[in-house]
């Protein structure tokens, strides 16, 4: 599932920037701008959902459910549901921005700003849950965490992807707060430095750290150690 979400993120993000490129030569640039804006929101949702699911898999793989602040069977569901709801509200706000009425456009901006701020709070909460789990596992390791599984490498990748996503969210929130006449909106390089680059960085983390070793859980919880490539020592494969 997390692999499919990563591919979906790549496809949606690429289409979004294609629309943004078309916008400069399009006779209806506003339409291309709205499509690009909505698709960047969709891509962000895919990335966040992937990160949420990865933490759940790490917790289960380490057999450390007792170290999680939130029950593991509800962990990713809770944050993914919050992500879906916030995305739906963002979509409504984007639709209001597409209206010709100035009042509706302004209301749409307010809705999107409120949701962006809420997303920042939710993601900070998620990173806090991850940090607590990390510290508890270090203090009271399970027998799996003491093995050759490079679980801290995976958590490090999760932190890195999370910080990149958080930076992107903060900059986008500031952009919408400033409005269309704001400094960030008028300078296109902010979009590439603080939106495209972080999202590309997240995909890179997924490709380098998670693609060689898809974390899966076996119903019986038994693990089999295996090395899948010479460049990735300590890989753990879970039998299907």
């Amino acid at each position: 599932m997390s692999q499919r979400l990563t591919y979906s993120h790549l496809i949606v993000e690429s289409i979004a920037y294609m629309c943004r490129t078309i916008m400069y030569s399009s006779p209806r640039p506003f339409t291309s701008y709205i499509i690009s804006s909505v698709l960047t929101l969709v891509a962000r949702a895919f990335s966040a959902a992937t990160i949420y699911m990865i933490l759940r898999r790490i917790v289960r793989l380490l057999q450390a459910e007792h170290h999680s602040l939130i029950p593991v069977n509800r962990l990713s569901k809770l944050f993914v549901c919050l992500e879906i709801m916030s995305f739906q509200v963002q979509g409504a706000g984007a639709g209001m921005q597409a209206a010709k009425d100035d009042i509706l456009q302004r209301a749409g901006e307010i809705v999107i700003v409120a949701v962006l701020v809420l997303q920042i709070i939710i993601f900070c909460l998620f990173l806090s849950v991850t940090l607590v789990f990390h510290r508890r596992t270090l203090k009271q390791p399970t027998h799996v965490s003491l093995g050759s599984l490079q679980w801290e490498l995976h958590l490090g990748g999760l932190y890195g992807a999370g910080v990149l996503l958080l930076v992107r969210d903060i900059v986008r929130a500031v952009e919408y707060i400033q409005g269309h006449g704001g400094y960030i909106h008028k300078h296109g390089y902010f979009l590439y430095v603080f939106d495209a680059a972080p999202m590309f960085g997240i995909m890179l983390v997924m490709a380098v750290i998670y693609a060689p070793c898809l974390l899966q859980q076996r119903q019986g919880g038994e693990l089999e150690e295996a090395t899948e490539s010479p460049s990735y020592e300590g890989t753990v494969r879970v039998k299907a």
Side-chain angles (χ1 to χ4, degrees), residues 123-196:
F123 206 77
C124 286
L125 175 62
F126 169 77
L127 290 178
S128 299
V129 171
T130 305
L131 183 60
V132 169
F133 166 76
H134 190 179
R135 295 183 64 180
R136 286 180 176 180
T137 306
L138 288 175
K139 287 184 178 180
Q140 298 179 342
T142 63
H143 70 281
V144 179
S145 67
L146 292 174
S148 60
L149 174 62
Q150 297 180 352
W151 64 276
E152 287 194 89
L153 172 65
H154 293 281
L155 273 182
L158 190 149
Y159 287 135
V163 169
L164 287 173
L165 192 62
L166 194 58
V167 169
R168 180 262 181 202
D169 287 349
I170 292 173
V171 174
R172 293 309 294 263
V174 173
E175 177 189 1
Y176 275 93
I177 290 172
Q178 291 180 345
H180 290 290
Y183 185 85
I184 293 179
H185 189 80
K186 286 184 176 180
H187 295 78
Y189 64 86
F190 273 94
L191 179 68
Y192 299 102
V193 174
F194 294 104
D195 190 276

Side-chain angles (χ1 to χ4, degrees), residues 43-195:
R44 188 264 178 209
F46 284 142
S47 295
T50 302
I51 293 173
Y52 299 147
M53 291 181 181
I54 286 173
L55 177 61
R56 182 192 64 183
R57 288 187 172 190
I58 291 175
V59 173
R60 284 182 170 172
L61 187 60
L62 295 180
Q63 299 178 8
E65 290 87 346
H66 55 289
H67 289 331
S68 177
L69 280 175
I70 301 174
V72 69
N73 60 335
R74 299 178 184 176
L75 182 60
S76 59
K77 291 180 182 178
L78 172 63
F79 288 104
V80 169
C81 286
L82 290 173
E83 194 67 37
I84 292 173
M85 287 189 293
S86 63
F87 169 70
Q88 290 177 335
V89 177
Q90 275 185 321
M96 294 168 68
Q97 280 191 305
K100 296 182 179 180
D101 187 82
D102 292 340
I103 296 177
L104 281 178
Q105 288 182 4
R106 181 56 184 165
E109 290 180 3
I110 294 173
V111 169
I112 291 179
V113 168
V115 174
L116 286 172
V117 172
L118 180 60
Q119 284 181 334
I120 292 171
I121 295 172
I122 292 172
F123 206 77
C124 286
L125 175 62
F126 169 77
L127 290 178
S128 299
V129 171
T130 305
L131 183 60
V132 169
F133 166 76
H134 190 179
R135 295 183 64 180
R136 286 180 176 180
T137 306
L138 288 175
K139 287 184 178 180
Q140 298 179 342
T142 63
H143 70 281
V144 179
S145 67
L146 292 174
S148 60
L149 174 62
Q150 297 180 352
W151 64 276
E152 287 194 89
L153 172 65
H154 293 281
L155 273 182
L158 190 149
Y159 287 135
V163 169
L164 287 173
L165 192 62
L166 194 58
V167 169
R168 180 262 181 202
D169 287 349
I170 292 173
V171 174
R172 293 309 294 263
V174 173
E175 177 189 1
Y176 275 93
I177 290 172
Q178 291 180 345
H180 290 290
Y183 185 85
I184 293 179
H185 189 80
K186 286 184 176 180
H187 295 78
Y189 64 86
F190 273 94
L191 179 68
Y192 299 102
V193 174
F194 294 104
D195 190 276

